[in-house]
Amino acid sequence: MGSTAQDITTTWPYLYSDFKDGTVYFTSKTTLAAPLNVHLLKSSLHYLDNEQVKEVTTSDIAMVIIGEDNYYARDNQLMRVISGDSTGFVAELVLADIDALTQSGGAYGSSSNVQATRKLSSLEVGGIHVTNHMELKNNKDNGTLLPVKTTYYIVTTKAVYHATRRGMESLLPDHAKSDLRRYVKQHNVKWNRPETYHLLLDFLKELPDE
């Protein structure tokens, strides 16, 4: 995993336990070298300018390198590359699980998601309400624990596929759906094992253009 073992909290809703040196490559061909971290509310990129936390506009990002991890921006979120390259890769997306904040159930007549959003907005969220790095670090352990969810995607130049059978089939033409099932069986792709997802890149690359 790209993240270090740590608790994700409302006061430190970041993937890494601290900001790490990295480089942002922008679509405008410019670069930014700075301490970076991934904010898990929307999978956005934050960087330190002196001790102030600032956010990079995701749509301006071509690629990000943080330590050993590479990210591409897709669907307005930062996706970590597990295998592959910009022409096709298996991606991991880690987000704060807002719904899980209110697993105990919402109030009558109000969805748990609305409740979760209200609950979150009433809290001090690090990197949003508090943007001083030292203050963030000092308050790291004072927040409410944020559950996170990890989702996997198969990303090509044409589409972003949710790495489930249903997710892939929903974007495939009818004739390719049975081909996918056959391919998954033949190549021993396991939907519950992300380390086998790279095999699906070969399947997608061999798909004829519509």
Side-chain angles (χ1 to χ4, degrees):
M1 294 287 285
S3 58
T4 46
Q6 56 147 348
D7 287 336
I8 311 293
T9 67
T10 50
T11 49
W12 191 267
Y14 287 105
L15 186 62
Y16 301 102
S17 58
D18 201 353
F19 282 71
K20 296 172 74 167
D21 286 340
T23 307
V24 189
Y25 296 86
F26 292 102
T27 51
S28 62
K29 308 291 189 226
T30 56
T31 61
L32 168 70
L36 305 171
N37 214 328
V38 181
H39 198 273
L40 297 182
L41 279 195
K42 293 179 182 170
S43 187
S44 49
L45 185 68
H46 286 191
Y47 70 98
L48 292 182
D49 181 1
N50 293 317
E51 280 296 292
Q52 279 304 114
V53 175
K54 297 185 176 178
E55 184 170 326
V56 179
T57 303
T58 310
S59 57
D60 294 341
I61 296 171
M63 182 186 176
V64 179
I65 299 175
I66 304 175
E68 302 292 307
D69 295 333
N70 289 4
Y71 294 84
Y72 291 110
R74 294 291 187 276
D75 285 357
N76 215 31
Q77 294 172 314
L78 284 179
M79 296 189 176
R80 186 173 77 90
V81 179
I82 293 177
S83 59
D85 55 38
S86 60
T87 63
F89 61 94
V90 180
E92 175 191 76
L93 176 66
V94 182
L95 283 170
D97 191 349
I98 307 302
D99 295 342
L101 268 183
T102 54
Q103 284 278 296
S104 52
Y108 289 111
S110 131
S111 75
S112 62
N113 195 40
V114 171
Q115 290 285 77
T117 308
R118 277 197 197 124
K119 185 171 179 179
L120 198 63
S121 62
S122 69
L123 298 165
E124 287 285 293
V125 178
I128 294 175
H129 300 117
V130 179
T131 55
N132 179 274
H133 181 223
M134 288 314 295
E135 196 178 333
L136 279 173
K137 283 186 77 170
N138 292 340
N139 288 320
K140 207 172 187 178
D141 302 324
N142 298 336
T144 306
L145 206 60
L146 270 183
V148 296
K149 57 183 175 185
T150 303
T151 315
Y152 294 93
Y153 293 89
I154 315 294
V155 182
T156 69
T157 52
K158 295 174 187 166
V160 176
Y161 300 87
H162 192 201
T164 62
R165 197 185 85 180
R166 186 180 294 172
M168 288 195 67
E169 287 185 0
S170 69
L171 296 177
L172 290 175
D174 286 343
H175 68 83
K177 292 176 184 176
S178 54
D179 292 345
L180 174 66
R181 291 177 194 187
R182 198 160 42 244
Y183 185 93
V184 163
K185 203 169 272 184
Q186 282 173 354
H187 292 81
N188 208 23
V189 176
K190 302 291 184 193
W191 293 114
N192 60 348
R193 289 180 55 204
E195 64 271 21
T196 66
Y197 293 166
H198 67 279
L199 298 165
L200 295 167
L201 285 170
D202 295 331
F203 170 79
L204 292 170
K205 283 177 180 174
E206 289 160 19
L207 269 185
D209 287 338
E210 285 300 293

